[in-house]
């Protein structure tokens, strides 16, 4: 259906949508029936194992595979000497654009080594153990060169990526004259913030199982956040039409951004499967996960603000430098949240990159907004303390009634309510405003808070609904469930849209044979896919209504389509509910077993309940583009700090968010808890150490890369503000996967300052920094 139906109200009426429905896929996961990408027992399956480089820069002088090839069960060893030529690679700008990947280099295409852990060979054998043994027997001689480990190295090439992309660009974002405003500001503050390298570390590592069903047709079971994006990339690599590349991801063991792109190990596995003529499975080891699927880059931010004596912002100047790979220009856009979070008449930002011998960085939960919020929210607290103003009050004095970065009104904003409700739940009024004086025995106690915001990204997708005369329905969309509950919430949306019980719905996802959907990332999936499902259901009801009003035996015969409504699976007149019939009776009389509808959901196509979609096309669609679309929220944190050991423990947590319509109270709460834990990890413990001399990671495992465990996290209180947004999409859903992490590190850092009187601006906040930081 390429148009919106003209006679149904937007979004399903209250029913199971919003309720804390248990996960529909939960039993299969508990019983071990849920198949992940490395769990398909295909006939003739063989195993791939990567051999990776021991140096970070140089060339492969020679590679000896003779001993490895003599091992029993070894079928093939791929190196740069025998890798089949691909139709396109990201090694050149044209290929990179066609593939749509953030990484601009495919290993095994030359003898050049760019980073430690770069694949130099792929062994295929009949068992995993034999492939592993053979990989260990490969002998590689290198011509090593001294690598550059980070942008902080004096040898690193520091450059402005915008100047490279457009010679006329100066690399600055400017709104007003921030330098002049700063010069005249009574209050001036400059602070430098650093953020360690973070790795995503999902429970399920990167995994690919590939089988060629014909010389020109391949199926790939892939650990990916987007089957459609992976299909497009593999199609470009292989030079095949997209419909000859099938990608399947029925279950995903976490992603957080690292599975949002098509990475080299996937392409190499597909090539290996074709070379050996058998299905090949490759699963990254945990150390390989650190060098194969990106990371959050190490970065430094300098934030300067100017303010009045009353705490009103007058100028914001933001500068950032981070590390990138030898071939890419990827950098998190930290300045966006700084430019829009608070009312400020002037703004300026600038960023630079430093090339180093590292794998390219990539999207990591709330890319840009998470580290950007750490800088602005810490600085806002500093301003509040300097002026003797409550941290919430300083934010209210700078509350943005419209988007400062564009001048557009918000499509909806409930941030004031988030502050108020969060403060009430947390007991903020009991906070002693003086830092370093609240104690629990010998432990220092601190209260901190921070603002959260994340944009509603523009995306679109499609869905298909097939309603059967026996009262059940099959609903399909090529979406991905990262483990956050997509199966469940789409079942709820379909149930209410069709007037059926949830157990009468079967929702299918994770296959490129299904209608296309966007990646599960950037908080787009919930809003886009739910709106697609809803619109597809409306297409079904439109078709059924047309049948009814043409059927002389129907109580709705000759009724006007716009006068007919659907209530609990029944078509009836809006003004006289007694005149109508169940869809099953209508379909049985017509002699049809099923009826199918399709629909497209996209952002910027919402409209007021009760208004016809036809009018919405003329009115609200135009209005949607004139609004700034964001979610907002607030985190409140209590910490206890041991003054002798420097240890920090989060002891209480409250999060309140205004994020449009919430599809499932239980899974949404879990999303916020998960994102908050992710942020607490970044705040207090997560850091990947890269050796400055060898550019190798020294803690590339879960024994030394510390992440929070249950003992590190208290019970968390999560609430949502009931928020209606008429502009964002047909379901009024904004998405919450990213906002759950934005502001978390700042809330922790602000609580640490309140507890100790010491400001730590270097993440993570480890004991050495607590003990060694001077008072701010």
């Amino acid at each position: 259906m390429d148009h919106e139906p003209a006679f149904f109200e937007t979004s399903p009426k209250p029913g199971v949508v919003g309720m804390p429905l248990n996960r529909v896929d939960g039993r299969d996961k508990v019983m071990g029936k849920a198949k992940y990408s490395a769990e398909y027992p295909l006939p003739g399956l063989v195993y791939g194992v990567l051999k990776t480089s021991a140096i970070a820069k140089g060339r492969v002088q020679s590679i000896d595979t003779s001993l490895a090839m003599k091992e029993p069960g070894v079928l093939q060893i791929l190196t740069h000497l025998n890798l089949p030529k691909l139709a396109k690679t990201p090694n050149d700008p044209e290929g990179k654009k066609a593939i749509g990947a953030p990484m601009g280099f495919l290993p095994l295409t030359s003898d050049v080594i760019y980073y430690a852990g770069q694949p130099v060979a792929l062994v295929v054998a009949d068992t995993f153990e034999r492939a592993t043994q053979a990989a260990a027997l490969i002998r590689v001689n290198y011509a090593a060169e001294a690598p550059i480990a980070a942008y902080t190295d004096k040898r690193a090439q520091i450059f402005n990526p915008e100047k490279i992309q457009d010679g006329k660009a100066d690399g600055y974002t400017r709104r007003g004259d921030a330098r002049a405003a700063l010069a005249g500001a009574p209050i001036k503050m400059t602070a430098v913030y650093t953020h360690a390298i973070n790795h995503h570390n999902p429970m399920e590592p990167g995994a690919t199982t590939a089988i060629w069903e014909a010389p020109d047709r391949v199926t790939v079971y892939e650990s990916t956040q987007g089957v459609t994006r992976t299909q497009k990339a593999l199609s470009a690599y292989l030079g095949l039409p997209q419909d000859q590349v099938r990608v399947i991801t029925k279950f995903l063991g976490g992603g957080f951004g690292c599975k949002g792109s098509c990475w080299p190990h996937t392409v190499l596995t597909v090539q290996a499967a074709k070379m050996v003529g058998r299905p090949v499975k490759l699963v990254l080891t945990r150390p390989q996960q650190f060098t194969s699927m990106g990371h959050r880059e190490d970065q430094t931010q300098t934030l300067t603000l100017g303010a009045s004596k009353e705490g009103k912002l007058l100028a914001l100047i933001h500068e950032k430098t981070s590390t990138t790979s030898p071939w890419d220009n990827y950098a998190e856009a930290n300045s966006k949240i700084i430019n829009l979070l608070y009312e400020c008449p002037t703004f300026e930002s600038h960023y630079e990159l430093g090339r180093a011998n590292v794998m390219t960085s990539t999207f990591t939960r709330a890319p840009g907004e998470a580290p950007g919020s750490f800088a602005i929210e810490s600085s806002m607290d500093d301003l509040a303390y300097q002026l003797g103003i409550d941290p919430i009050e300083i934010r209210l004095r700078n509350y943005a009634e419209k988007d400062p970065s564009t001048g557009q009104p918000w499509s909806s904003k409930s941030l004031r309510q988030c502050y108020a409700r969060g403060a009430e739940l947390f007991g903020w009024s009991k906070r002693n405003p003086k830092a370093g004086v609240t104690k629990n025995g010998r432990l220092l106690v601190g209260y901190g808070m921070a603002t959260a915001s994340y944009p509603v990204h523009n995306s679109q997708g499609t869905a298909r609904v097939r309603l059967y005369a026996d009262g059940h329905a099959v609903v399909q969309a090529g979406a991905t469930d990262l483990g956050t509950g997509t199966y469940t919430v789409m079942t709820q949306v379909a149930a209410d849209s069709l007037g059926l019980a949830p157990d009468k719905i079967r929702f299918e996802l994770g296959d490129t044979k299904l209608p296309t959907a966007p990646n599960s990332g950037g908080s787009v999936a919930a809003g886009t896919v739910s709106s697609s499902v809803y619109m597809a259901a409306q297409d079904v009801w439109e078709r059924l209504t047309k049948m009814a009003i043409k059927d002389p035996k129907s109580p709705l015969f000759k009724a006007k389509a716009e006068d007919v409504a659907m209530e609990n699976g029944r078509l009836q007149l809006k003004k006289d509910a007694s005149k109508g019939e169940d869809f099953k009776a209508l379909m049985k009389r017509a002699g049809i077993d099923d009826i199918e509808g399709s629909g497209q959901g996209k952002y910027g196509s919402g409209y007021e309940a009760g208004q016809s979609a036809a009018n919405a096309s003329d009115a609200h669609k135009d209005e949607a583009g004139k609004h700034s679309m964001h979610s907002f929220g607030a985190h409140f944190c209590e910490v206890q700090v041991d003054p002798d050991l420097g240890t920090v423990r989060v002891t209480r947590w409250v999060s309140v968010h205004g994020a449009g319509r919430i599809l499932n109270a239980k899974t949404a709460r879990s999303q916020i808890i998960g994102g908050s834990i992710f942020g607490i990890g970044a705040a207090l413990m997560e850091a990947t150490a890269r050796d400055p001399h060898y550019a190798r990671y020294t803690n590339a495992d879960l024994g030394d890369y510390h992440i929070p465990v249950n003992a590190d996290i208290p019970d968390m209180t999560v609430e949502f503000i009931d928020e209606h947004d008429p502009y964002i999409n047909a379901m009024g859903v904004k998405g919450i996967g990213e906002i759950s992490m934005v502001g978390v590190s700042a809330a922790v850092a602000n609580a640490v300052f309140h507890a100790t009187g010491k400001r730590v601006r270097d993440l993570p906040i480890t004991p050495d920094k607590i003990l060694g930081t001077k008072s701010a």
Side-chain angles (χ1 to χ4, degrees):
M1 185 179 68
D2 59 2
H3 64 284
E4 293 176 339
F7 44 83
F8 289 98
E9 293 183 353
T10 181
S11 71
K13 290 181 171 60
V16 293
V17 167
M19 300 298 291
L21 188 72
N22 288 336
R23 293 175 185 264
V24 299
D25 55 327
R27 182 175 178 81
D28 282 349
K29 288 181 175 178
V30 171
M31 300 297 291
K33 294 181 180 179
K35 280 189 171 61
Y36 292 80
S37 298
E39 297 181 328
Y40 287 85
L42 303 174
L45 182 69
V46 294
Y47 300 81
V49 169
L50 291 173
K51 173 82 171 182
T52 58
S53 66
I55 66 170
K57 185 179 182 182
R59 289 182 177 274
V60 175
Q61 284 189 317
S62 65
I63 183 164
D64 183 356
T65 61
S66 58
L67 287 176
M69 282 300 300
K70 292 177 182 178
E71 283 294 297
V74 174
L75 303 175
Q76 184 61 265
I77 300 177
L78 281 72
T79 71
H80 70 281
L81 299 174
N82 66 348
L83 186 75
K85 184 176 177 60
L86 291 161
K88 287 185 175 65
T89 72
N91 298 8
D92 60 84
E94 183 181 344
K96 182 176 180 179
K97 184 178 180 180
I99 292 165
M103 57 105 182
F105 169 70
L106 181 68
L108 272 63
T109 52
S110 76
D111 63 352
V112 180
I113 301 299
Y114 289 107
Y115 60 95
Q118 176 181 318
V120 294
L122 171 57
V123 178
V124 182
D126 60 354
T127 70
F128 170 72
E129 292 77 12
R130 286 173 167 175
T132 301
Q133 169 67 7
L137 294 175
I138 297 174
R139 298 291 177 257
V140 185
N141 290 320
Y142 301 98
E145 301 175 36
I148 296 172
Y151 69 92
T152 52
D153 191 308
K154 293 180 180 179
R155 298 169 297 148
Q157 173 199 351
I158 305 297
F159 67 99
N160 182 323
E162 294 187 5
K163 282 188 174 180
I164 291 177
Q165 295 166 6
D166 180 356
K168 297 180 180 179
D170 63 5
Y172 283 85
T173 298
R174 292 189 178 97
R175 180 166 50 78
D177 191 338
R179 302 282 174 175
L182 178 66
I187 307 295
K188 301 179 181 66
M189 298 172 56
T190 298
V192 178
Y193 300 90
T194 60
H195 200 299
I197 306 163
N198 284 170
H199 274 84
H200 311 76
N201 276 312
M203 185 177 294
E204 177 200 28
T208 305
T209 304
I211 177 170
W212 287 83
E213 288 142 343
D216 60 352
R217 188 175 298 276
V218 63
T219 295
V220 182
Y221 300 90
E222 176 66 4
S223 181
T224 177
Q225 292 174 227
V227 293
T228 300
R229 180 178 286 182
T230 300
Q231 178 194 45
K232 179 183 176 182
L234 289 175
S235 170
Y237 274 116
L238 301 170
L240 293 175
Q242 283 187 221
D243 64 356
Q244 291 174 216
V245 178
R246 185 182 181 188
V247 180
I248 298 172
T249 308
K250 293 299 182 181
F251 295 94
L252 198 71
F256 318 122
C258 73
K259 296 176 182 175
S261 304
C262 184
W263 295 103
H265 68 274
T266 301
V267 185
L268 296 175
T269 304
V270 172
Q271 289 182 283
K274 190 162 192 178
M275 289 186 72
V276 302
R278 293 171 68 174
V280 174
K281 175 171 73 175
L282 185 150
V283 180
L284 297 176
T285 65
R286 184 57 58 175
Q288 288 171 355
Q289 183 77 28
F290 279 74
T291 57
S292 301
M293 301 182 74
H295 54 273
R296 193 191 299 278
E297 71 262 32
D298 43 325
Q299 54 191 272
T300 295
Q301 303 176 80
T302 301
L303 183 61
T304 299
L305 64 82
S308 69
K309 293 179 180 179
E310 294 74 35
K312 289 282 290 180
L313 291 174
L314 302 174
L316 285 168
I317 300 174
H318 178 252
E319 297 172 296
K320 177 196 169 189
T321 306
S322 59
T323 300
T324 191
S325 63
W327 56 83
D328 278 320
N329 296 337
Y330 176 82
E332 293 184 290
N334 300 20
S335 63
K336 288 184 178 180
I337 190 169
I338 299 172
N339 192 12
L340 68 82
L341 200 54
Y342 298 108
E343 182 61 45
C344 183
T346 67
F347 175 80
E348 181 180 301
S349 72
H350 173 70
Y351 76 103
E352 292 182 324
L353 295 172
R355 294 216 182 278
N357 294 104
V358 301
M359 174 61 159
T360 193
S361 53
T362 193
F363 331 111
T364 308
R365 203 165 191 170
E369 278 75 14
S373 65
F374 173 58
I376 183 64
E377 288 300 279
S378 296
S379 288
M380 291 298 286
D381 251 43
D382 286 343
L383 179 62
Y385 279 104
Q386 181 170 330
L387 297 177
I389 301 172
D390 184 89
I392 296 179
E393 176 60 27
I394 198 75
R395 289 163 172 82
L396 291 173
R397 290 188 187 186
N398 292 280
Y399 194 87
E401 298 294 351
K402 60 182 179 180
D403 186 341
S405 66
T406 64
Q408 294 178 323
W410 307 109
S411 61
S412 60
K413 184 178 183 180
S414 305
L415 183 55
R416 290 185 190 275
Q417 296 94 311
C418 293
Y419 287 150
R421 182 57 177 160
E424 178 186 1
L425 290 169
F426 188 78
W428 185 261
S429 62
K430 300 175 183 178
R431 171 184 177 273
N432 186 325
K434 189 174 181 180
V437 299
T438 306
K439 293 186 177 182
N440 178 17
R442 55 180 294 275
L443 300 177
L444 300 173
V445 178
Y447 288 4
M449 58 82 57
T451 308
S453 179
Y454 195 76
V456 179
H457 290 301
N458 183 36
S459 188
Q460 67 180 47
T462 53
R464 182 165 53 235
V465 169
R466 178 167 291 178
L467 180 64
Y468 290 84
D470 65 359
H472 82 281
V474 175
V475 183
Q476 300 171 320
T480 306
D481 191 334
L482 292 84
T484 52
T486 304
Y487 276 111
T488 305
V489 296
M490 298 311 156
T491 296
Q492 291 175 266
V493 171
D496 280 5
S497 300
L498 295 170
L500 302 177
D503 62 2
K504 299 297 183 182
I505 303 292
R506 185 171 83 245
F507 181 68
E508 298 177 347
L509 54 66
D511 192 330
T512 50
K513 285 194 171 183
L514 303 179
T516 58
N519 266 31
S520 286
S523 298
V524 304
T528 302
V529 180
S530 65
S531 294
S532 300
V533 169
Y534 170 71
M535 297 307 292
Q538 302 319 298
D539 190 26
V540 168
W541 292 120
E542 180 180 7
R543 296 171 189 271
L544 287 170
T545 298
K546 289 179 180 178
M547 288 171 52
I549 61 181
K550 292 179 180 179
D551 182 357
K553 296 182 179 180
S554 172
L556 300 172
F557 181 53
K558 290 187 177 182
K560 293 181 179 180
E562 58 267 28
D563 294 336
V564 179
M566 184 279 292
E567 291 286 347
N568 297 320
R570 187 173 186 270
L571 292 170
Q572 61 189 42
L573 290 179
K574 293 178 180 179
K575 295 182 178 180
D576 186 357
S578 65
K579 291 186 177 180
E581 64 178 327
D582 187 275
F583 74 88
K584 289 178 283 189
L586 175 63
M587 292 174 68
K588 182 178 180 181
R589 196 167 57 249
I592 59 174
D593 294 325
D594 61 81
I595 188 167
E596 186 177 292
S598 62
Q600 183 181 83
K602 54 188 175 182
Y603 285 105
S605 60
Y607 48 93
E608 295 282 4
Q611 181 188 23
S612 74
N615 290 335
S617 298
D618 298 330
H620 278 271
K621 274 191 172 182
D622 291 337
E623 283 298 310
K626 300 175 183 178
H627 288 75
S628 182
M629 303 178 184
H630 288 257
S631 297
F632 291 93
H635 299 290
F636 292 79
C637 171
E638 179 190 87
V639 298
Q640 293 188 4
V641 181
D642 188 313
D644 300 319
L645 301 178
T647 55
V648 179
R649 180 172 295 277
V650 175
T651 49
R652 284 196 302 128
W653 190 268
V654 170
S655 290
V656 180
H657 294 277
R661 188 174 194 175
I662 301 303
L663 296 175
N664 182 306
K666 183 181 292 186
T667 58
R669 179 176 179 272
S670 293
Q671 273 273 61
I672 300 298
I673 290 174
S676 297
I677 293 171
F678 208 112
I680 291 170
L684 295 179
M685 60 191 73
E686 292 192 45
T688 314
R690 191 185 290 140
D691 186 284
H693 302 291
Y694 298 101
R696 290 195 296 246
Y697 294 127
T698 60
N699 62 334
D701 55 60
L702 292 183
D704 295 313
Y705 183 92
H706 296 161
I707 59 174
V709 296
N710 283 349
D712 298 310
I713 304 298
D715 287 339
M716 291 181 157
T717 299
V718 175
E719 283 195 8
F720 296 96
I721 302 299
D722 187 14
E723 184 179 78
H724 171 66
D725 193 312
Y727 299 107
I728 49 175
N729 51 52
M731 285 295 297
V733 172
K734 291 183 174 180
I736 55 175
E738 317 291 335
I739 194 175
S740 54
M741 186 183 179
V742 180
V744 170
S745 293
V748 175
N750 292 340
V752 168
F753 178 80
H754 181 243
T756 64
K758 298 178 180 179
R759 173 61 68 180
V760 182
R761 297 186 174 91
D762 181 13
L763 294 182
I765 304 171
T766 45
D768 57 310
K769 296 168 187 173
I770 294 290
L771 297 176
T773 304
K774 297 179 180 179
S775 297

